[in-house]
Amino acid sequence: MKKIVLILFVSVLVFGCTTLDEELNDTVGSEVAATTADTESLLISAYQAMRIFDTQDNIFALQEHTSDELAGPTRGPDWDDGGVWRNLHTHSWASSNNFINSAYTGLLSGIFRSTQVLEFDPTPEQAAQARFLRAFFAFHLVDNFGLVLGREPGEDLTTPPSITLNRPEGINFVISELEEVINDLPDVGDATVANKNAAHFLLAKAYLNRAVYMATDASSNAASAGPFSFDSGDMNSVISNVDAIINSGEYELETMYFDNFSPTNTDDSSENIFVSENVRGNNPANTHSRWHMTLHYNNQPDGWNGFVTLAEIYDLYEDGDMRREFTPDYFEGNTGMNAGFLLGQQYAADGSPLEDRNGDPLAFTKDFSITASSEVAGIRVIKYPVDFTNIGSVGNDYVHFRYADALLMKAEAILRGGAATNGDTPESLVNSIRALRGTSNLDAVTLDEILDERARELYWEGWRRNDQIRFSTFLDAHHEKPASSETYLLFPIPPDALSTNPNLTQNPGY
């Protein structure tokens, strides 16, 4: 496994993306590139591949629309989009789904760009960052598609990859990569750069989910719905990696929850471990979609009147929990909204009640239909507070890894058989978060309560599908979604990839 260089066959990746096409063709068999390549620029390009996470479609759609946290109602002629959002919500998607295909392509592009850095004499720290990023994209390929592609060094890049790692092999690759490079990563500091704590976090996430991936049938790649047998050694590895983050002294829980996602969040937050950087006014990313995709056309600022959360998620909160509703001071004079969940009558910045396009009160309701909703149906969400200084080119860095998530992983690992350390208990860890969010302590923390607390703390951050699968609730029925089959624990391999790579096999059920 240590010899494997993950790099991608050109035809697998090409889905009409001119930039990617040129990028790959410039690399294959290019001796000239070796004399002109700027290793630092290649590394920046690998970081920029993480942009696929901050749009409203692609990876986010796979992670959240398929879960019980988010839905995309059709509103008359609005948001039908050929049923793509409904199909994700009801677990009835097919291999032709464009979001699934573009997510697959984007993850492979990230692996390609990361591997490309290693071809041009990087410093040890640059190489470690590139391999971390490669492991980051590989983890999400394992999680969503159940595979990782690889080549032997020196292999002909004009032929399909000879090595296809199944899910158990893939997660072991991710773990081995991270453990090999962690000592060469920067110690602390800039959350926009892969550092030792980011590696510890991803290792904790890999070990926490390893039982899920190891339960996948190695020959057919059929995923299991669980329940899973969590190895105590894996859980102890989760705990030791989280303890490394804690003991670094670099983080503490943020007293102002929405500072973790604010327009200046990397400066404001004491929690963010790893983020994608967005520069105000000079930002090709799509992080502003996080409010545009949910707000009504007549909100201030306006939006696309799209996505909502389910009442079951909203009802998990106690009154006074700032994660559900809080108004940052910079909202004053710019909007009548709060951060968090939006329910009921909406207001303009001057306090006057807003109306929908029919002149009726703009008052969001809990109820919605995924096939026929009104303009105001569904609870809206502002997880990333609006950057009023530049609505279209925002400063909110997109958060991948956060300290509160690390503490929740440790609490879960203890409950799943890991040995408690430093006097921490599931109750002390969970209640340390809840105390700063303005809610009451829990007398006892069970695994069910961990899943609920992860929903309360991490909603719309892209972890819900992963969590629900690990807790064996992903296939359950919920709002207008019937119980679904184990086919939908993995996404299909895109048809174009199958047609160009004979080493690939479609995931079961597609």
Side-chain angles (χ1 to χ4, degrees):
M1 286 300 303
K2 293 180 182 178
K3 296 196 305 178
I4 293 174
V5 177
L6 298 183
I7 198 163
L8 307 169
F9 180 47
V10 177
S11 298
V12 172
L13 288 176
V14 175
F15 289 89
C17 176
T18 302
T19 301
L20 182 56
D21 229 355
E22 293 170 352
E23 172 184 307
L24 289 166
N25 286 332
D26 284 346
T27 301
V28 174
S30 175
E31 295 179 0
V32 176
T35 65
T36 61
D38 179 344
T39 308
E40 185 62 28
S41 294
L42 292 174
L43 184 58
I44 291 171
S45 176
Y47 277 103
Q48 289 176 339
M50 293 192 296
R51 299 288 194 207
I52 62 170
F53 286 83
D54 59 21
T55 67
Q56 76 279 1
D57 47 20
N58 299 337
I59 296 293
F60 183 78
L62 272 57
Q63 293 170 325
E64 292 289 350
H65 273 275
T66 61
S67 79
D68 64 358
E69 280 192 345
L70 186 148
T74 296
R75 306 177 191 279
D78 297 340
W79 287 96
D80 181 72
D81 295 342
V84 64
W85 309 108
R86 290 194 300 276
N87 291 340
L88 291 172
H89 181 81
T90 60
H91 292 194
S92 55
W93 59 78
S95 60
S96 58
N97 185 293
N98 286 336
F99 297 156
I100 293 173
N101 294 346
S102 59
Y104 179 87
T105 305
L107 291 171
L108 293 185
S109 175
I111 290 178
F112 173 82
R113 294 189 197 190
S114 303
T115 302
Q116 193 178 34
V117 176
L118 304 177
E119 299 176 7
F120 298 110
D121 195 27
T123 66
E125 185 175 293
Q126 288 174 326
Q129 290 182 55
R131 291 177 67 184
F132 168 89
L133 292 171
R134 187 169 66 180
F136 173 88
F137 292 113
F139 172 83
H140 287 286
L141 268 174
V142 167
D143 187 57
N144 290 280
F145 295 95
L147 57 76
V148 176
L149 300 181
R151 294 184 184 276
E152 295 288 354
E155 191 174 315
D156 183 0
L157 301 183
T158 64
T159 61
S162 63
I163 299 172
T164 302
L165 305 182
N166 61 29
R167 215 177 191 196
E169 294 167 338
I171 194 56
N172 287 336
F173 168 79
V174 169
I175 290 170
S176 66
E177 278 285 273
L178 293 170
E179 290 181 341
E180 285 181 21
V181 305
I182 194 167
N183 289 332
D184 287 329
L185 289 169
D187 288 326
V188 292
D190 191 350
T192 67
V193 175
N195 54 59
K196 286 183 173 66
N197 287 322
H200 283 302
F201 184 101
L202 188 52
L203 276 166
K205 193 70 73 172
Y207 277 114
L208 186 62
N209 288 281
R210 190 168 177 267
V212 176
Y213 307 143
M214 297 303 289
T216 305
D217 185 273
S219 58
S220 67
N221 218 34
S224 169
F228 304 102
S229 298
F230 293 87
D231 179 76
S232 61
D234 285 347
M235 297 303 100
N236 286 333
S237 293
V238 174
I239 292 166
S240 65
N241 278 286
V242 173
D243 280 349
I245 296 171
I246 296 171
N247 294 337
S248 73
E250 288 296 308
Y251 313 98
E252 60 183 4
L253 291 169
E254 180 56 57
T255 58
M256 301 300 290
Y257 178 72
F258 287 101
D259 279 357
N260 294 313
F261 313 99
S262 73
T264 53
N265 56 336
T266 297
D267 292 330
D268 297 342
S269 172
S270 58
E271 284 192 37
N272 291 342
I273 297 170
F274 186 53
V275 303
S276 292
E277 183 177 22
N278 293 318
V279 179
R280 250 180 194 160
N282 183 26
N283 174 23
N286 197 23
T287 307
H288 68 283
S289 69
R290 283 300 179 270
W291 62 80
H292 277 289
M293 69 188 186
T294 187
L295 295 180
H296 187 271
Y297 311 112
N298 293 343
N299 275 123
Q300 295 179 347
D302 62 348
W304 301 326
N305 202 34
F307 305 152
V308 304
T309 196
L310 280 63
E312 291 86 345
I313 297 297
Y314 181 88
D315 290 341
L316 288 175
Y317 292 89
E318 294 179 4
D319 291 341
D321 192 326
M322 73 163 60
R323 297 172 295 190
R324 189 175 76 175
E325 182 178 348
F326 183 80
T327 304
D329 55 9
Y330 51 90
F331 275 36
E332 299 294 338
N334 288 306
T335 183
M337 298 184 298
N338 56 266
F341 296 84
L342 305 180
L343 179 64
Q345 177 66 50
Q346 300 300 295
Y347 296 91
D350 63 6
S352 59
L354 294 171
E355 297 178 343
D356 67 14
R357 293 182 296 178
N358 297 317
D360 298 320
L362 182 59
F364 298 138
T365 65
K366 282 188 176 183
D367 295 332
F368 69 89
S369 167
I370 61 170
T371 57
S373 275
S374 71
E375 285 189 17
V376 299
I379 303 166
R380 312 310 166 90
V381 175
I382 301 180
K383 188 63 180 275
Y384 283 76
V386 178
D387 187 348
F388 296 102
T389 66
N390 202 325
I391 295 292
S393 184
V394 302
N396 314 65
D397 291 342
Y398 190 76
V399 181
H400 294 286
F401 302 159
R402 192 156 63 81
Y403 187 57
D405 189 354
L407 298 184
L408 289 171
M409 285 196 288
K410 181 175 181 179
E412 181 180 339
I414 293 171
L415 287 172
R416 295 197 188 277
T421 59
N422 302 328
D424 291 332
T425 65
E427 290 76 19
S428 69
L429 291 162
V430 171
N431 286 331
S432 69
I433 297 170
R434 290 175 61 84
L436 288 180
R437 306 314 186 217
T439 191
S440 64
N441 281 351
L442 299 175
D443 293 332
V445 172
T446 64
L447 283 171
D448 287 343
E449 193 57 59
I450 289 286
L451 181 61
D452 286 348
E453 194 63 31
R454 289 187 65 81
R456 287 186 283 260
E457 179 68 23
L458 303 168
Y459 65 91
W460 285 32
E461 292 185 47
W463 291 114
R464 188 59 174 176
R465 170 188 169 274
N466 176 274
D467 289 343
Q468 284 196 282
I469 290 175
R470 189 172 65 257
F471 282 81
S472 299
T473 66
F474 183 67
L475 303 179
D476 295 350
H478 57 255
H479 186 96
E480 295 187 75
K481 175 206 174 288
S484 48
S485 74
E486 293 184 356
T487 292
Y488 298 99
L489 294 168
L490 287 174
F491 295 104
I493 307 301
D496 284 359
L498 293 170
S499 67
T500 56
N501 186 347
N503 299 319
L504 290 177
T505 302
Q506 184 58 277
N507 286 327
Y510 296 105

